Structure formats: C-alpha cells, structure tokens
Amino acid sequence: MSTTDKTLIWMILTLLGGALSLGLGAVWLNIERMDLAYDLRKMEKSLNQKEALAVKLSVERNNQVSPYQLKRLAGHLDLGVAAPGQIRRITDTQ
C-alpha cells in the first residue's frame, strides 16, 4: 500500500467517524427535545388542573359568603342583628 492509499483510508475513516458522531448527536438531541416536550405537556396539564381548582374554589367561596348562606348559618347558630350597645368601636391610637 502506498502513502496515498493510507491517507485515503484515514480520511474515509475520519469522515465515517465524524458522520457517526453527528448522527448520534442528532439522535440524542431529538431524544432531549422529546423529553422537554413531554415535560412541557405535563406542566401544562398541571397548570390547567390548578386553574380549574382555583375557579371551583372561587365559586365555592362566593357560595359560602353569599347573604342567603350567611343568613341561613346565622339562623342555625341563633345569631341575629346586633342590638344598640353591643357593638364596640376601637379607634387607632397611633
């Protein structure tokens, strides 16, 4: 084998190694991209669930503090409108 043949073989092997490295790098990047997409989808689902829960809790809170609900609860606890003299006002002394 001549020097030219050896150089040609080394060039081909180097190019094949580089192509293999680039191919493996592309596959690895694609796997990472898919992992990120999966994580993003999971976070979006979690965010949507939390937003839905916040809306439900807001509706429940508004229901609990509605005048009708407070009047009904006050009746169960034998509470009524404060009589004159039962309310004390505390002023800020600062």
Side-chain angles (χ1 to χ4, degrees):
M1 246 202 257
S2 69
T3 308
T4 308
D5 291 339
K6 288 181 182 179
T7 304
L8 184 60
I9 290 173
W10 279 110
M11 287 175 63
I12 291 172
L13 289 175
T14 303
L15 289 173
L16 284 174
L20 181 64
S21 297
L22 288 174
L24 289 175
V27 169
W28 179 75
L29 287 174
N30 193 33
I31 291 170
E32 288 296 316
R33 183 181 59 86
M34 293 302 292
D35 284 346
L36 286 174
Y38 174 74
D39 290 342
L40 180 62
R41 191 173 301 123
K42 199 163 106 177
M43 285 188 278
E44 285 175 344
K45 184 178 177 183
S46 175
L47 177 63
N48 289 338
Q49 288 173 344
K50 288 177 183 179
E51 286 175 343
L53 179 61
V55 168
K56 288 177 186 176
L57 290 174
S58 177
V59 168
E60 180 65 23
R61 182 201 55 199
N62 290 337
N63 182 38
Q64 293 295 322
V65 297
S66 70
Y68 171 76
Q69 188 74 4
L70 292 175
K71 184 177 180 179
R72 189 178 67 76
L73 185 59
H76 284 293
L77 298 174
D78 294 328
L79 298 175
V81 179
Q86 285 184 320
I87 298 175
R88 305 269 190 233
R89 303 224 185 262
I90 300 174
T91 58
D92 189 11
T93 58
Q94 292 179 348

